[in-house]
Amino acid sequence: MSNNTIYDALIVGAGVSGGFIANALTEAGMKCALLEAGRSFPSGQYPDNELDANALLYWGGGIELNKNASLGLLRPKGVGGGSIVNQALVDRFDDDAFDSWREASGVSYFNRAEMDPWYDAAAEQISIKTVPEEYANGNGKIFREGFEKNGYQYAPLERAHRDCRFEDGNCCIECLRGCPIDSKQSTAVTLIPKARAAGLDLVPEFEAIHVDPRKDLVTVIGRGGDGRESVYRGRRLVLAAGAIGNSRLLLMSGLEKQLPALGHNFYTHPQFMCLGLYDEPVNGHHGPLQSYRSADPTFRANGFKLENVFASPVAVAMLVPALGREHMQRMRAITHMGCVEVAVRDTNPGRITVSSSGKPIVDKTLNEEDRRRRDRGLEAIHNIFESTGATEIIKGNLAIGLHLMGGCNIGTDPTRSVATPDFHLHGFDNIHVADSSAFPNAPGINPSFTIMALSCRAADKIVQGAD
Amino acid sequence: MSTLSATQQRGLLRLGDALIPGDGDMPSFSESGCAEYADRILVSMYSDDRAGLKGVLTLCAILPRPLIRKLFAMTDRHENAPEPVAGLLRMANVGIKGFLMTLYYSDIGGGHVFSKMGWDPVVHRQPQEPTDGAR
């Protein structure tokens, strides 16, 4: 479907940033189209099995690998994007994260005093609650007990959900394929429906493949689900397709010369999931998937955090070593497994390029410092499992990248950054970006809430500029 | 499995059974019926990844079964190899294992894999009626 409408704004990517910005611009009276490569799922009707979820909710059939296959990248797609499949954690950045961003970018507003109002503005749009400790499952209890026995600090978890009805026995691990009761505050159930009611045009199954930026008009060419090309035009473009999606689109559009830092400065918070085997059932798949977060200043100072998570059988099968019957025997013990992962605040930036067929190529490895951070985290996990009676510990050896950040980083220097502090690309006043691709480096904290805050701030700037 | 040729389908079942042979209670890969759903993953893969996987499946249709298992075990020991060989082994390992484990451990083929593992997460779509005791 091509459209003769000249929109006030085209937004590519209907995830967290796209949803927040689309709603803010539409509410300000701008005519917007939200273009999304993935599908739009009716309320509560997400895939009911992992195979379809991997195929429909992620790029590349579930996982994309970096160049040397040492890092698996999970890149969501579909209306709602990462907010469909994530655990909806809402953490504000601390001074350390913002100090590091300010230093890397030269952007003065990266501090709590100036960002807190934008966190508040984002929080007003969604329901945020603490996961009730009384429903913590066996895996949550292992995490808590292990932290207490080792003198590590932890805290209850805040997440964006409305009412998960844990008293009914609901299990949030099912919501990694999309929340069937619309409790999780994905933009697919919060801001995008609101924006649509106010006049937003939502265009799912439109994969943007080329941008033609002109001073007064931006053209976006894309492919539909049937492979046919169509075109959308707008006075401005907001890129909200994430680190790889935004970088890929701009690279495929030939903007590398004008934007020399494009695709650089890519970070992922590499995560290593570990399993502990217990004699008694753990049932880490019951109830809330996560109940606690690590809040240990020593962990923070050492560049890692631990996550109280569990995983689906497919992911556990990838972690469990051995082959054949031995592998199956181990899989039978899945209900007796505890799980903790270490997320590294990575210091070694990667680079995103694009193959001739349009496939993103990610060159990203861990340097010595990143490996040191990983190993300290693994040591802490070992201590947790050992002190809580695990009979065997399985260390995951494949790093997973869930927090895909950078590639279009914000900064004051056009030779070292892609976007200005005012959220438009250097040299392109009518192309904006405020999602995780704009991050100057890895904060070591869950990025979702800060994407929301930056998007609120960017939307305000765009509306001011449009007046 | 229309995306796969008859040879590739045979290779998928042989490779699947090498990694997931069944254990007397849980079904083997081929017994689970999951191979029927291979298309659903294949269509969402990048074309060059799909071509690589199809090549592996074609090879598995003709290789002796013990050799299939040995070759896969070799990819599992990627840590012992120097780069860039290790990277290629990792890529093969994650690609093959990811494809097969996704098919089998999604439990959509009627093999009742989850019930045999005790995997029973639920989400009640409607609030449950309070029990008599709670009224």
Side-chain angles (χ1 to χ4, degrees):
Chain A
M1 181 187 80
S2 282
N3 192 323
N4 292 324
T5 306
I6 306 290
Y7 288 93
D8 291 318
L10 301 174
I11 300 144
V12 174
V16 174
S17 180
F20 269 81
I21 292 180
N23 181 57
L25 302 192
T26 306
E27 282 196 335
M30 294 169 69
K31 182 65 185 165
C32 301
L34 181 56
L35 312 173
E36 166 57 44
R39 291 190 192 179
S40 177
F41 292 88
S43 175
Q45 293 181 36
Y46 294 105
D48 65 0
N49 65 78
E50 204 172 352
L51 183 151
D52 288 328
N54 288 346
L56 298 174
L57 297 175
Y58 290 95
W59 288 86
I63 194 167
E64 296 169 285
L65 294 173
N66 68 334
K67 213 169 165 180
N68 75 353
S70 60
L71 177 66
L73 304 164
L74 305 185
R75 183 158 67 103
K77 68 175 178 180
V79 173
S83 65
I84 296 290
V85 295
N86 69 11
Q87 261 301 296
L89 308 190
V90 279
D91 297 324
R92 293 182 190 220
F93 283 7
D94 58 12
D95 288 337
D96 186 65
F98 279 132
D99 290 349
S100 161
W101 273 23
R102 216 168 45 248
E103 190 182 333
S105 67
V107 177
S108 61
Y109 62 71
F110 285 141
N111 61 75
R112 278 296 295 265
E114 287 185 78
M115 285 304 296
D116 268 344
W118 300 106
Y119 282 119
D120 295 341
E124 279 174 18
Q125 315 250 24
I126 54 175
S127 166
I128 298 175
K129 291 182 177 173
T130 303
V131 179
E133 283 193 72
E134 63 267 33
Y135 294 110
N137 64 22
N139 195 43
K141 287 172 185 165
I142 287 169
F143 191 87
R144 183 178 64 202
E145 189 188 328
F147 266 61
E148 286 171 351
K149 284 187 169 169
N150 288 281
Y152 305 147
Q153 292 180 36
Y154 66 95
L157 201 72
E158 284 211 320
R159 69 192 289 264
H161 70 253
R162 191 165 42 88
D163 180 10
C164 295
R165 302 200 308 261
F166 295 118
E167 66 277 16
D168 289 351
N170 287 343
C171 306
C172 283
I173 199 162
E174 291 289 272
C175 309
L176 296 177
R177 303 190 304 262
C179 178
I181 56 172
D182 288 347
S183 172
K184 185 156 63 175
Q185 298 287 280
S186 81
T187 51
V189 301
T190 54
L191 292 152
I192 294 172
K194 207 170 144 194
R196 289 184 76 186
L200 170 74
D201 285 348
L202 174 65
V203 186
E205 298 184 68
F206 174 93
E207 183 188 351
I209 54 172
H210 188 84
V211 172
D212 182 14
R214 305 271 170 93
K215 189 170 168 48
D216 298 316
L217 191 71
V218 182
T219 301
V220 176
I221 302 166
R223 266 191 302 256
D226 56 5
R228 291 170 64 180
E229 286 192 3
S230 52
V231 174
Y232 285 83
R233 295 179 183 85
R235 293 182 182 86
R236 58 187 63 73
L237 169 67
V238 178
L239 297 167
I244 294 176
N246 288 346
S247 300
R248 176 182 178 239
L249 178 58
L250 294 174
L251 288 165
M252 287 168 69
S253 304
L255 298 180
E256 197 173 3
K257 277 189 183 166
Q258 292 101 313
L259 301 165
L262 178 60
H264 293 258
N265 298 302
F266 175 66
Y267 298 87
T268 70
H269 289 160
Q271 296 173 26
F272 298 84
M273 197 175 269
C274 299
L275 302 168
L277 261 65
Y278 291 82
D279 288 334
E280 299 299 317
V282 175
N283 289 321
H285 60 299
H286 286 170
L289 184 63
Q290 293 176 274
S291 291
Y292 301 103
R293 65 180 175 85
S294 66
D296 197 286
T298 314
F299 292 179
R300 183 79 177 130
N302 279 289
F304 70 88
K305 67 169 183 161
L306 301 188
E307 300 258 23
N308 162 215
V309 295
F310 204 72
S312 64
V314 172
V316 172
M318 293 298 288
L319 288 176
V320 166
L323 293 172
R325 288 198 176 85
E326 192 188 341
H327 185 274
M328 298 185 80
Q329 288 299 322
R330 284 169 173 258
M331 285 301 293
R332 277 179 174 283
I334 194 167
T335 56
H336 288 241
M337 291 175 185
C339 182
V340 182
E341 76 176 10
V342 51
V344 172
R345 184 181 187 185
D346 44 336
T347 61
N348 192 33
R351 185 179 176 192
I352 302 160
T353 53
V354 181
S355 76
S356 56
S357 65
K359 182 183 172 185
I361 298 168
V362 174
D363 192 356
K364 162 86 180 152
T365 53
L366 270 63
N367 61 14
E368 199 178 328
E369 171 62 16
D370 295 340
R371 287 193 293 272
R372 187 190 66 79
R373 293 174 177 208
R374 174 199 64 192
D375 292 344
R376 291 210 171 167
L378 292 175
E379 193 183 319
I381 294 175
H382 187 93
N383 294 340
I384 289 167
F385 283 146
E386 199 171 60
S387 64
T388 53
T391 55
E392 185 185 346
I393 297 167
I394 299 170
K395 281 184 186 172
N397 56 9
L398 176 70
I400 297 293
L402 298 167
H403 301 160
L404 310 180
M405 304 167 287
C408 299
N409 60 314
I410 280 184
T412 51
D413 180 351
T415 65
R416 295 172 57 231
S417 61
V418 175
T420 70
D422 284 344
F423 302 100
H424 63 76
L425 304 189
H426 289 293
F428 298 91
D429 291 351
N430 56 353
I431 303 183
H432 309 269
V433 62
D435 67 2
S436 65
S437 71
F439 283 20
N441 61 28
I445 296 173
N446 189 287
S448 191
F449 202 21
T450 301
I451 296 169
M452 296 178 203
L454 287 177
S455 298
C456 288
R457 187 179 180 117
D460 188 64
K461 278 277 173 202
I462 294 168
V463 170
Q464 282 178 33
D467 285 343
Chain B
M1 288 197 285
S2 60
T3 302
L4 299 177
S5 68
T7 305
Q8 289 159 351
Q9 289 177 35
R10 194 167 66 249
L12 172 59
L13 295 177
R14 296 178 91 220
L15 176 61
D17 283 346
L19 267 67
I20 305 171
D23 68 354
D25 187 24
M26 282 168 72
S28 68
F29 182 86
S30 55
E31 288 166 347
S32 76
C34 65
E36 292 300 315
Y37 299 87
D39 267 0
R40 292 202 201 165
I41 308 181
L42 287 164
V43 295
S44 66
M45 290 168 72
Y46 289 107
S47 55
D48 35 359
D49 293 346
R50 187 166 53 237
L53 186 59
K54 283 181 172 184
V56 169
L57 298 180
T58 303
L59 203 61
C60 288
I62 51 173
L63 288 176
R65 287 172 198 271
L67 189 55
I68 293 175
R69 200 177 146 88
K70 269 190 184 164
L71 285 174
F72 185 79
M74 195 173 79
T75 70
D76 222 19
R77 291 192 295 269
H78 51 80
E79 281 177 354
N80 302 331
E83 298 289 351
V85 177
L88 293 171
L89 293 175
R90 270 194 301 272
M91 196 171 291
N93 186 271
V94 175
I96 293 168
K97 198 170 175 183
F99 184 59
L100 298 175
M101 297 301 165
T102 301
L103 281 166
Y104 185 82
Y105 286 106
S106 291
D107 194 26
I108 54 173
H112 305 292
V113 173
F114 284 175
S115 63
K116 286 164 185 165
M117 294 162 60
W119 186 260
D120 56 358
V122 291
V123 174
H124 300 285
R125 286 172 185 266
Q126 298 299 326
Q128 287 187 324
E129 289 294 316
T131 61
D132 287 345
R135 282 180 201 278

